[in-house]
Structure formats: structure tokens, C-alpha cells
Amino acid sequence: ELLKPMGRRCAPGQRLGGLEMIKRLCLTVLLLLIGCQSAFADDFQIIASVIAAEACSEGQVGMDLIAEVISNRAKKWHKTPLEVVTAKNQFYGYTAPNRPKLYAQCQLEADRAATEVFTGETGQITGGAIYYLLPGEPLRSWHGKKIITYKKHSFYTEEKR
């Protein structure tokens, strides 16, 4: 009951209403309080800090899109979100030396995005994307159809181009 999605998902550029934002923040605080003595709190913080390291400079929408990719991969590959972000060579943000600093800069937004991963509330703004690239990164054979570009990130499905 506690982890049921709490409402609509915003498209890029939209803002949440006051009540929706309060609900999401309350859930984040509650989940952290419940799990503060458990592995969940550690998993949550790792995922939130990876999201921050990947897209802190892109604001809430950019971090939400990264969270959606994490969620999409977890569902598709039958893995936990933690297994997804800590897999070798998958998320630079996991090994980034500045991860703690970036997390500190945008903790509230990153925590909100991580909450969406755990509640399954990430929506489908990326159209089911499971990969993304930054400018200058090579397009690989597994990068399928480009779905959306938001600021510096381009998002891809496995569907063939």
C-alpha cells in the first residue's frame, strides 16, 4: 500500500502541483525513516547519488529520465535497481570520484528521482529507453532507436534503428 504510485507523471518542462510535491517528499522521508537501519537505505542512497552524478546539472527532469532508465533496465533484465547501477561499466556515476559532491548539490531532487525508481512511478517519458549517451560517446550496436534527447542526454531503446 505504501509503495503504490502516487499520481501523474510530469512531462519535460511541466511542474508538479504543491500537493503532489508534498506527497512525494513525504514518501521519500518515510522510506528513509523506515529503512534507516536496513540495507534499503544504503541501496537508496547509492541509487540517488548515481542519479545525481549522471544528471545533477540537468535538473529534476534530467534526473527523472536517468531514474526511468534504471527502472526500465531493472524490469527488463529482472534485476534490482542496485544491481543495475553497480553493474560493471554501466553507469559512470557509480564510480565517479565527484559522486558525493554532486549528490550533496542536488540531494532533494536526486532523492525524489530515486523514490520513483523504488515506487515504480517513473512513467514512460523515455518510451522505454534502457540506454543513454552523452555527446561524444560512441553509438554502439546495442543502442537501438533514439527516442528523446533532453539537454545533454540522448535516450535509446533496444528496438532496431
Side-chain angles (χ1 to χ4, degrees), residues 6-18 20-21 24 60-62 64-65 68 112 116 121-126 148 150:
M6 292 181 294
R8 68 178 174 82
R9 171 81 176 145
C10 289
Q14 282 185 313
R15 295 195 181 269
L16 291 174
E20 189 71 15
M21 180 61 87
R24 289 181 182 201
Q60 187 67 66
V61 173
D64 287 348
L65 295 170
E68 187 174 318
R112 181 182 150 235
E116 292 174 356
E121 191 182 329
T122 57
Q124 284 303 313
I125 296 172
T126 67
I148 185 175
Y150 182 78

Side-chain angles (χ1 to χ4, degrees), residues 77-138:
W77 297 339
H78 307 288
K79 304 230 179 243
T80 67
L82 183 66
E83 290 171 326
V84 168
V85 300
T86 60
K88 186 176 181 182
N89 299 324
Q90 294 300 302
F91 287 84
Y92 169 76
Y94 179 62
T95 58
N98 62 340
R99 186 176 93 195
K101 181 180 176 186
L102 290 169
Y103 181 55
Q105 288 176 2
C106 55
Q107 183 174 354
L108 183 63
E109 295 89 350
D111 285 352
R112 181 182 150 235
T115 298
E116 292 174 356
V117 171
F118 283 99
T119 62
E121 191 182 329
T122 57
Q124 284 303 313
I125 296 172
T126 67
I130 57 172
Y131 303 110
Y132 58 86
L133 293 173
L134 290 168
E137 291 182 327

Side-chain angles (χ1 to χ4, degrees), residues 131 133 137-147 154-161:
Y131 303 110
L133 293 173
E137 291 182 327
L139 192 62
R140 306 284 187 189
S141 61
W142 55 83
H143 295 117
K145 184 178 176 185
K146 185 177 186 179
I147 300 298
S154 294
F155 296 85
Y156 299 83
T157 64
E158 285 185 315
E159 182 182 321
K160 297 300 176 201
R161 293 176 247 166

